[in-house]
Amino acid sequence: MSGLDIKQALLDEFGSPSEFYASFMTYVDFSKTSLYICAASILFNPTFWNIVARLEYNTHFLTKLAGGAKKGCYALAVTIFSLGILRDFLYEQALRDQPYCARLDIPPTKMLAAVLFGYGNILVLSSMYALGVTGTYLGDYFGILMDDRVTGFPFNITDNPMYYGSFLSFLGTALWFSKPAGILLSLVVLVMYLIALRFEEPFTAEIYAKRERERAAAADGKKSK
Ligand SMILES: *[C@@H]1O[C@H](CO)[C@@H](O)[C@H](O)[C@H]1NC(C)=O
């Protein structure tokens, strides 16, 4: 099938992009409070961990409260993990309240849904396994740095397997239950993570660059002795 055939097939099936958008939106019930609660939770989580982690970096308040950097990081990890569970629960609740789209409920969609959900979870779990608890949950902000950059799977696929994997799991769930509103919420997840990355990536890069400068300075110091 050439690109043109596919384009024609999509046009035949869904009409013009604006028609598609309009019919998509009829499957999003904006009168349901659960939709907004879920969206709020999606927006809240990365905002929360970025604020707390930077506060920790600047003041070490969690390290002081918990009596150690590692303990502080574990406390933050438990909190972030719990917020994630809560968000997944709110997502499920929101989907329950949203219109079902029979057109989506066909075997190819179900298959795609299962693949996306499975692949998304593989990305999330394997990156947690590769990074460990402190590596996954912002240990760098506590001064717990990784010795080396992790380059094996899943980091040879994407730099941010946790975020993209999470997005794919949300999308897979939406498709599995044939809920277009879930696709919309998944996009909110993706956008939120892309925004979070714009804050996180330069910041952690600087944390590691600082360590490299300190190592280089220490090596220079030794040489000149
Ligand atoms: C990533 O690493 C895994 C495991 O080492 C390997 O099987 C896979 O082919 C690699 N993928 C890419 C795109 O390099």
Side-chain angles (χ1 to χ4, degrees), residues 137-160:
Y137 293 103
L138 306 153
D140 348 20
Y141 292 75
F142 291 79
I144 311 167
L145 304 194
M146 310 282 294
D147 292 331
D148 290 298
R149 200 182 176 86
V150 181
T151 52
F153 184 85
F155 292 91
N156 63 350
I157 311 276
T158 158
D159 277 345
N160 301 290

Side-chain angles (χ1 to χ4, degrees), residues 43-138:
L43 301 184
F44 176 78
N45 289 6
T47 311
F48 168 81
W49 73 62
N50 268 286
I51 290 176
V52 171
R54 288 215 185 182
L55 210 56
E56 164 60 26
Y57 183 81
N58 290 320
T59 68
H60 303 297
F61 81 108
L62 278 176
T63 296
K64 286 174 197 157
L65 268 177
K70 201 156 184 183
K71 280 186 192 156
C73 187
Y74 273 85
L76 181 60
V78 170
T79 311
I80 294 175
F81 187 79
S82 309
L83 284 170
I85 303 264
L86 175 63
R87 182 191 56 180
D88 293 351
F89 170 76
L90 294 172
Y91 180 60
E92 213 188 295
Q93 294 292 308
L95 288 196
R96 271 179 217 278
D97 289 345
Q98 289 295 319
Y100 156 88
C101 174
R103 252 166 125 192
L104 272 180
D105 199 354
I106 48 174
T109 315
K110 280 267 196 276
M111 230 154 72
L112 178 65
V115 169
L116 293 179
F117 185 81
Y119 186 58
N121 274 289
I122 287 172
L123 288 181
V124 170
L125 295 175
S126 62
S127 91
M128 282 173 118
Y129 181 78
L131 294 177
V133 174
T134 56
T136 301
Y137 293 103
L138 306 153

